[in-house]
Amino acid sequence: MAGKNRISSIDGLAGEVLVHAGQASRKRLPAFATAREEITRLEHREYGRSLRDCFARAEVREIVREARAKAWPHLNRDAVRLGSMREFADRAYSLGADFQVAKMSWPSGLALFGFYLKLGPGSQKRPIICVNAAHHRAVVGTAFAHEVGHHVTASLFGMRAQSPLPSLYTGYESHLDDPLELAADIAVSLGMYPRKTALKLFPESENETVETNGQPTKSSTPAAALEYVRREYGLDLASLPTQKRIQYRAALTHFTKLREALLHEYDF
């Protein structure tokens, strides 16, 4: 019974985070339609300019240095591997945070990938990293890495203790204007596509193009990148139900374009 109460309280906290983010409606809305719209906007977003608007090269270097010192010593050298929930819990504990698992598989619950809370509720004093286990394990791993990114870069931004930082299936466009979110995304992108991989996937002279509304646009997810993610992390978009496929495509579009911008703008 205690275990069930524990799970219920975690899901309840995750639900509160969704409410806080304005994403808590439990009606069976076509959430993937919103994600489709965001993919289109992300396709047209100039990531290099957005990256420069948020961070100078020296500031990106500081983010990477902080992430390497506290969490990923080989960040941008080796791909960050996926782990089990037990490994995530051990990792979070070693970083001074508690790890929690929610399982929110209903349509609006799937909007949440995870969240970071610098100060837990009630008497809880340690930060909380929570992931939604209803997602593909590669997406859970990405959510975990994003929340760890918040945890290890918090000191660079003086984060407010009471503000939950949710990772949602939409909202990546707003990350490009939010240094707090973009710093965590930088860690994810460099972990997903280490430098040697990025150099192969994103050669500046060989960018693929796609037609969007009749206009040529640089592809945000080249076929080689999709194949790399399938091979390295077991995430095959074509095999997934429509809602998750579109949700994950939004995330992949964002992290891929950000990684390409980090390479071409700042040579990371």
Side-chain angles (χ1 to χ4, degrees):
M1 183 64 70
K4 290 184 178 180
N5 289 338
R6 180 69 168 165
I7 292 172
S8 177
S9 67
I10 294 165
D11 286 348
L13 178 58
E16 289 176 18
V17 171
L18 275 172
V19 171
H20 179 82
Q23 300 288 331
S25 171
R26 297 198 177 217
K27 297 177 183 178
R28 296 186 64 86
L29 297 174
F32 55 87
T34 304
R36 276 198 178 108
E37 293 168 2
E38 182 169 46
I39 290 170
T40 299
R41 293 194 300 271
L42 293 175
E43 291 276 9
H44 289 85
R45 185 72 179 248
E46 177 48 63
Y47 269 64
R49 180 180 302 170
S50 298
L51 181 61
R52 292 193 305 271
D53 286 346
C54 273
F55 298 119
R57 189 179 193 280
E59 291 172 318
V60 174
R61 188 185 300 115
E62 186 177 8
I63 291 167
V64 173
R65 184 166 55 244
E66 197 81 358
R68 282 177 175 168
K70 294 180 178 178
W72 301 289
H74 303 293
L75 184 67
N76 203 28
R77 296 167 188 158
D78 299 323
V80 173
R81 71 177 187 84
L82 300 177
S84 65
M85 295 299 182
R86 180 70 261 169
E87 288 174 308
F88 288 156
D90 291 343
R91 187 68 170 147
Y93 184 82
S94 72
L95 294 171
D98 286 336
F99 178 69
Q100 305 287 358
V101 179
K103 190 161 186 178
M104 306 174 71
S105 57
W106 55 90
S108 63
L110 285 172
L112 184 72
F113 290 156
F115 67 86
Y116 175 70
L117 193 58
K118 190 174 182 182
L119 186 63
S123 61
Q124 182 80 16
K125 297 301 180 185
R126 286 164 60 90
I128 291 176
I129 291 172
C130 180
V131 298
N132 185 358
H135 286 290
H136 187 283
R137 67 186 297 262
V139 176
V140 172
T142 298
F144 179 73
H146 178 85
E147 310 314 337
V148 169
H150 278 311
H151 184 65
V152 301
T153 62
S155 61
L156 299 178
F157 299 97
M159 280 176 49
R160 296 187 303 276
Q162 285 78 21
S163 300
L165 296 171
S167 177
L168 305 171
Y169 73 85
T170 58
Y172 291 110
E173 191 175 22
S174 68
H175 288 198
L176 295 168
D177 302 311
D178 184 343
L180 210 63
E181 293 291 350
L182 191 58
D185 288 344
I186 285 171
V188 174
S189 295
L190 295 176
M192 183 185 299
Y193 301 111
R195 180 173 170 78
K196 287 183 179 179
T197 298
L199 286 168
K200 294 177 182 177
L201 292 177
F202 313 122
E204 200 158 11
S205 61
E206 298 180 13
N207 289 319
E208 297 182 27
T209 61
V210 294
E211 289 290 324
T212 305
N213 296 325
Q215 298 297 320
T217 302
K218 187 168 65 176
S219 174
S220 62
T221 46
L226 292 174
E227 173 58 22
Y228 166 79
V229 169
R230 186 196 65 77
R231 185 179 66 252
E232 185 73 24
Y233 298 109
L235 181 59
D236 183 3
L237 296 182
S239 68
L240 298 172
T242 300
Q243 179 175 347
K244 286 187 176 181
R245 182 170 69 250
I246 300 300
Q247 289 177 339
Y248 299 169
R249 184 61 181 256
L252 189 55
T253 297
H254 173 67
F255 289 119
T256 303
K257 289 195 70 173
L258 178 57
R259 183 63 189 92
E260 186 174 14
L262 286 163
L263 178 64
H264 293 159
E265 295 297 324
Y266 290 146
D267 196 30
F268 270 93

